[in-house]
Amino acid sequence: MKKSVRRAVIAGNWKMNMTPSEAKAAVEETARLTNGMSGCDVVLCVPFVDLPAAIEAAAGTHVKIGAQNVHFAEKGAFTGEVSAKMLAEVGAEYVIVGHSERRQYFGETDETVNLRTKAALAAGFKVILCLGEVLEQRKAGITSEIVSMQTKLDLAGVSAEEMANVIIAYEPVWAIGTGLTATPDQAEEVCALIRRTLASLYGDTVAEATTIQYGGSMNDANAAELLSKENVDGGLIGGASLVPAKFTKIVEAAQA
Ligand code: 13P
């Protein structure tokens, strides 16, 4: 199977930006500007409170809406958390799990990321599973060990069938929000390693069919070169996804 048969996915991660009214306007503008660009899926992952406004604004368009996290319990005493059932009822289709900001600032571990991934898949979501090395790990030459370990731990107990709803986002932590982008060759090297790890877990067919995104300071200027790489099937975009015109240029770059 070739890259050309994998579905490219360009997803925005708005992080903690946009109020509901701002979200409505940004989703409408993104949908308008990317209208007809059918060569990739277009997803916007928005703050929880923006979900209803974003979903309403995206209705009838090609833009899909996702959340930025989900708890693994069905319900209960987990102050501040949101369940998969809650997200499903408001109409979210995607959910980001394991973002490095959750791991760094909110103590999430591969174990909790794995639980969240499985809960989201069981509820029928498409999961964007984020992983990647921090700078010290890259400097120590252990990027491949870290990334393959995260892939294995985060996907433990996820079936080959469920992998149809998993997108992996390789996000080197040192490239997030820093303006430092992995070079296209660095991104390709690690995305290819993730695919080999998937092949060892699930076999070649699943590995070849899985969309693997790059994330970390992807923007309108560098997207085309990153996306031209054989194993880079899309992007998870932070800062540039907040500006519909910039995000649209990245969606455009994924049309080739
Ligand atoms: P930036 O594009 O702002 O570097 O963020 C990347 C990211 O963390 C997407 O999830």
Side-chain angles (χ1 to χ4, degrees), residues 217-237:
S217 299
M218 190 186 264
N219 59 37
D220 44 332
N222 60 29
E225 212 187 335
L226 285 159
L227 293 169
S228 73
K229 292 293 176 180
E230 176 63 29
N231 286 288
V232 180
D233 308 313
L236 184 57
I237 294 107

Side-chain angles (χ1 to χ4, degrees), residues 66-135:
Q68 297 173 9
N69 204 358
V70 61
H71 198 264
F72 42 84
E74 268 181 41
K75 60 179 173 178
F78 299 101
T79 302
E81 291 284 330
V82 168
S83 73
K85 195 173 171 191
M86 294 170 187
L87 294 177
E89 192 168 317
V90 293
E93 290 180 65
Y94 287 73
V95 63
I96 294 174
V97 173
H99 192 278
S100 65
E101 287 148 17
R102 299 298 316 173
R103 297 177 192 250
Q104 270 186 304
Y105 307 140
F106 302 99
E108 291 195 25
T109 62
D110 286 313
E111 190 185 353
T112 60
V113 170
N114 173 247
L115 290 171
R116 289 172 196 264
T117 300
K118 287 190 290 195
L121 289 170
F125 283 92
K126 290 193 186 299
V127 170
I128 300 179
L129 170 62
C130 302
L131 45 86
E133 81 286 2
V134 301
L135 188 57

Side-chain angles (χ1 to χ4, degrees), residues 15-250:
K15 308 191 179 182
M16 195 175 73
N17 293 287
M18 305 268 196
T19 65
S21 60
E22 290 166 346
K24 177 180 187 298
V27 170
E28 283 171 357
E29 181 74 347
T30 301
R32 191 179 64 77
L33 292 174
T34 58
N35 190 28
M37 297 185 188
S38 55
C40 66
D41 288 341
V42 179
V43 183
L44 291 172
C45 295
V46 309
F48 291 133
V49 296
D50 292 350
L51 282 168
I55 288 163
E56 201 186 321
T61 78
H62 59 291
V63 174
K64 314 263 188 237
I65 301 298
Q68 297 173 9
N69 204 358
V70 61
H71 198 264
F72 42 84
E74 268 181 41
K75 60 179 173 178
F78 299 101
T79 302
E81 291 284 330
V82 168
S83 73
K85 195 173 171 191
M86 294 170 187
L87 294 177
E89 192 168 317
V90 293
E93 290 180 65
Y94 287 73
V95 63
I96 294 174
V97 173
H99 192 278
S100 65
E101 287 148 17
R102 299 298 316 173
R103 297 177 192 250
Q104 270 186 304
Y105 307 140
F106 302 99
E108 291 195 25
T109 62
D110 286 313
E111 190 185 353
T112 60
V113 170
N114 173 247
L115 290 171
R116 289 172 196 264
T117 300
K118 287 190 290 195
L121 289 170
F125 283 92
K126 290 193 186 299
V127 170
I128 300 179
L129 170 62
C130 302
L131 45 86
E133 81 286 2
V134 301
L135 188 57
E136 294 71 36
Q137 293 163 338
R138 176 160 284 266
K139 281 187 178 158
I142 56 169
T143 296
S144 55
E145 285 93 331
I146 293 294
V147 166
S148 79
M149 185 187 77
Q150 288 177 329
T151 305
K152 289 175 185 172
L153 291 175
D154 297 353
L155 290 174
V158 172
S159 70
E161 292 70 37
E162 286 175 316
M163 283 302 293
N165 285 325
V166 174
I167 293 166
I168 305 227
Y170 167 55
E171 298 207 313
V173 180
W174 48 270
I176 294 178
T178 56
L180 283 178
T181 317
T183 65
D185 286 343
Q186 285 172 326
E188 168 63 16
E189 188 186 356
V190 183
C191 290
L193 166 87
I194 293 168
R195 201 175 305 285
R196 284 198 300 279
T197 308
L198 293 177
S200 75
L201 295 172
Y202 297 105
D204 287 343
T205 309
V206 168
E208 287 297 328
T210 303
T211 295
I212 302 179
Q213 300 173 316
Y214 167 78
S217 299
M218 190 186 264
N219 59 37
D220 44 332
N222 60 29
E225 212 187 335
L226 285 159
L227 293 169
S228 73
K229 292 293 176 180
E230 176 63 29
N231 286 288
V232 180
D233 308 313
L236 184 57
I237 294 107
S241 72
L242 298 170
V243 183
K246 285 191 187 173
F247 185 67
T248 297
K249 287 264 193 301
I250 301 172

